[in-house]
């Protein structure tokens, strides 16, 4: 695929097949599609309106039609993933759509985890870009944080301690 339109068309067609194959309770006519070329950490996302008092597990009583949500696909992630990983990512996002359409919100909690396992989707989609900065514990070398751009934690890492050992942080910068 070489264009955003082709990525959307292919991903939408796959999602239509996945809705049938995995019995997703999803109305794809209420899903808009877009491609992001700016996203660096997320492979895809479901953008949705925030609804007060919506809770996963408490079915939403919609007055009229379910609001539209947007499936935002990240071009760089599609480029970095093979088809198997990309389709698993789409199923992950379909779980979010399913939760939103049923409950008015979504999360990565136990209900999400169970449904993701049932549709052979990851609970967390792997990072496809390397962080610009990695902060680690000076005592045990555990990675404490990954940052994709300069920020207060990066600039002032010597003022912070790790949560694992309460030791100072070491900073690995890009070469």
């Amino acid at each position: 695929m070489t264009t955003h339109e082709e990525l959307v068309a292919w991903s939408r067609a796959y999602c239509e097949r996945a809705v049938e194959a995995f019995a997703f309770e999803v109305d794809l006519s209420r899903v808009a599609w877009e491609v992001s070329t700016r996203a660096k950490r997320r492979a895809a996302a479901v953008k949705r309106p925030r609804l007060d008092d919506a809770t996963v597990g408490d079915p939403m009583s919609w007055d009229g039609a379910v609001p539209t949500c947007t499936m935002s696909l990240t071009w760089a992630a599609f480029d970095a993933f093979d088809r198997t990983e990309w389709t698993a990512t789409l199923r992950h996002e379909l779980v979010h759509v399913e939760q939103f359409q049923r409950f008015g919100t979504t999360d990565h909690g136990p209900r999400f985890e169970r449904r993701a396992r049932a549709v052979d989707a990851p609970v967390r989609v792997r990072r496809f870009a390397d962080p610009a900065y990695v902060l680690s514990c000076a005592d045990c070398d555990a990675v404490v944080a990954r940052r994709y751009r300069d920020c207060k934690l990066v600039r002032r890492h010597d003022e912070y301690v790790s949560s694992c050992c309460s030791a100072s942080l070491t900073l690995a910068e890009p070469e």
Side-chain angles (χ1 to χ4, degrees), residues 60-147:
M60 181 63 70
S61 176
W62 299 107
D63 292 329
V66 174
T68 298
C69 60
T70 301
M71 180 92 70
S72 181
L73 311 172
T74 302
W75 185 262
F78 168 75
D79 197 38
F81 292 175
D82 63 22
R83 289 288 163 92
T84 300
E85 192 169 19
W86 184 249
T87 55
T89 299
L90 292 173
R91 290 190 305 277
H92 171 104
E93 298 307 327
L94 283 171
V95 174
H96 284 301
V97 172
E98 186 176 61
Q99 282 191 337
F100 171 70
Q101 289 183 353
R102 183 161 185 214
F103 305 121
T105 191
T106 184
D107 62 19
H108 288 106
R111 213 179 260 272
F112 183 94
E113 290 177 11
R114 284 191 301 277
R115 185 65 170 134
R117 279 193 301 273
V119 299
D120 194 25
V123 173
R124 299 273 186 231
V125 176
R126 84 166 168 90
R127 292 179 179 91
F128 62 91
D130 294 327
Y133 306 94
V134 176
L135 295 114
S136 301
C137 173
D139 281 355
C140 71
D141 291 327
V143 172
V144 174
R146 294 173 179 85
R147 294 294 180 266

Side-chain angles (χ1 to χ4, degrees), residues 40-41 127 129-136 143-157 160 169-174:
K40 302 288 187 234
R41 290 171 274 184
R127 292 179 179 91
D130 294 327
Y133 306 94
V134 176
L135 295 114
S136 301
V143 172
V144 174
R146 294 173 179 85
R147 294 294 180 266
Y148 291 81
R149 58 183 175 212
D150 190 17
C151 64
K152 180 181 172 185
L153 177 61
V154 168
R155 288 188 303 276
R156 297 167 61 178
H157 66 277
Y160 294 86
L169 301 181
T170 59
L171 175 67
E173 296 186 49

